[in-house]
């Protein structure tokens, strides 16, 4: 069963000073989704570590941070939602995703993808919460995490609807694509022919065929799209590769 191509420019690579304009530009160039990376960082004070979300006021104290960078928070999603009806594909790289469900739902997120590495004990509750709030649940895994860890989430009575395979270590844009991650994509596609499988990290015209031939149909690309002289042509190349691999 063929799955549809979904091309999602990563807004992490956009001009943050003109986010609404950049979003509209990507849609006019043919994007299906807008990919929003939500990451957090520890900031040191004299007395304690605190977790801050950019432009937000949420302060939590987890035992460790997920990625060493700082980016989009719920207030940014809310601001962007006022200017677009696009599908906002939100990828949560945080230690406690359940705490963000309500805020992102209110902000206007469309999809909510969490990491299995921090959700092994409460993923059923998390999926239910995401769906209850009207968002589409997805699960992601870092390069070092075995693909088998997400099978239960896809096969559950109340499953996730997408799996995101990180093809770089999460946290920064512009990294080199990791082709060895395609074994995970192939394993997923073989087991779940109709599943949305997303790949994120180092995707562009030179790497797209490795991903699509393995079975990926949702393509996140940042630097290769925003850094191109003609982003629409890059988006078209990515889409054509998915369609060709899927026999569309």
């Amino acid at each position: 069963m063929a799955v549809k191509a979904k091309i999602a420019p990563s807004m992490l690579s956009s001009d943050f000073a003109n986010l609404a304009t950049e979003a509209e530009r990507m849609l006019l160039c043919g994007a299906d989704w807008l990919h929003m990376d939500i990451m957090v960082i520890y900031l040191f004070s004299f007395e304690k570590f605190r977790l801050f979300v950019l432009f937000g006021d949420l302060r939590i104290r987890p035992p460790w941070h997920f990625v060493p960078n700082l980016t989009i928070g719920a207030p940014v999603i809310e601001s962007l939602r006022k200017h677009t009806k696009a599908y906002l594909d939100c990828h949560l790289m945080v230690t406690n995703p359940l705490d963000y469900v309500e805020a992102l739902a209110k902000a206007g997120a469309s999809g909510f993808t969490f990491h299995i590495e921090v959700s092994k004990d409460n993923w059923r509750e998390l999926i239910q919460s995401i769906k209850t709030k009207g968002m589409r649940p997805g699960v992601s895994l870092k390069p070092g995490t075995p693909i088998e860890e997400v099978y239960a989430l896809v096969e559950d009575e109340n499953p996730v609807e997408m799996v995101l395979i990180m093809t770089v270590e999460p946290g920064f844009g512009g990294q080199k694509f990791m082709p060895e991650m395609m074994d995970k994509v192939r394993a997923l596609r073989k087991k779940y022919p109709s599943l949305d499988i997303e790949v994120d990290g180092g995707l562009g015209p030179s790497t797209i065929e490795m991903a699509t031939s393995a079975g990926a149909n949702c393509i996140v690309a940042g630097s290769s799209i925003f850094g191109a002289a003609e982003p629409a042509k890059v988006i078209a190349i990515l889409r054509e590769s998915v369609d060709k691999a899927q026999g569309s």
Side-chain angles (χ1 to χ4, degrees), residues 176-228:
K176 187 176 179 180
F177 177 77
M178 300 171 69
E180 61 270 26
M181 294 300 106
M182 294 306 95
D183 287 342
K184 295 180 180 181
V185 176
R186 278 186 282 270
L188 279 178
R189 183 57 70 209
K190 183 176 181 180
K191 284 179 69 69
Y192 313 113
S194 62
L195 178 68
D196 272 341
I197 302 174
E198 187 170 60
V199 285
D200 180 5
L203 275 303
S206 65
T207 55
I208 186 61
E209 288 194 10
M210 284 186 279
T212 57
S213 63
N217 67 298
C218 302
I219 311 299
V220 177
S223 303
S224 65
I225 292 177
F226 284 97

Side-chain angles (χ1 to χ4, degrees), residues 23-122:
E24 181 64 19
R25 181 167 73 100
M26 289 299 104
L27 296 174
L28 291 174
C29 285
D32 301 285
W33 294 353
L34 300 177
H35 188 77
M36 315 296 291
D37 284 311
I38 299 174
M39 297 182 279
V40 292
I41 187 172
Y42 275 133
L43 297 179
F44 183 73
S45 70
F46 287 107
E47 298 177 340
K48 54 196 152 185
F49 284 100
R50 283 184 174 178
L51 185 67
F52 288 81
V53 180
L54 184 63
F55 304 134
D57 60 1
L58 184 59
R59 298 185 180 189
I60 310 163
R61 297 174 183 82
W64 53 280
H65 60 292
F66 195 73
V67 296
N69 208 351
L70 177 67
T71 184
I72 298 167
V76 178
I77 302 296
E78 183 177 13
S79 295
L80 182 58
R81 176 53 76 204
K82 296 174 183 178
H83 300 279
T84 183
K85 295 181 179 179
Y87 185 98
L88 299 182
D89 177 35
C90 296
H91 175 200
L92 279 288
M93 287 171 277
V94 300
T95 56
N96 45 359
L98 193 59
D99 289 347
Y100 296 83
V101 173
E102 184 172 354
L104 282 175
K106 288 181 178 179
S110 307
F112 187 112
T113 298
F114 58 91
H115 269 262
I116 186 59
E117 294 89 354
V118 295
S119 307
K120 294 179 181 180
D121 297 327
N122 67 344

Side-chain angles (χ1 to χ4, degrees), residues 1-3 189 193-194 246:
M1 180 178 178
V3 287
R189 183 57 70 209
S194 62
Q246 293 296 324

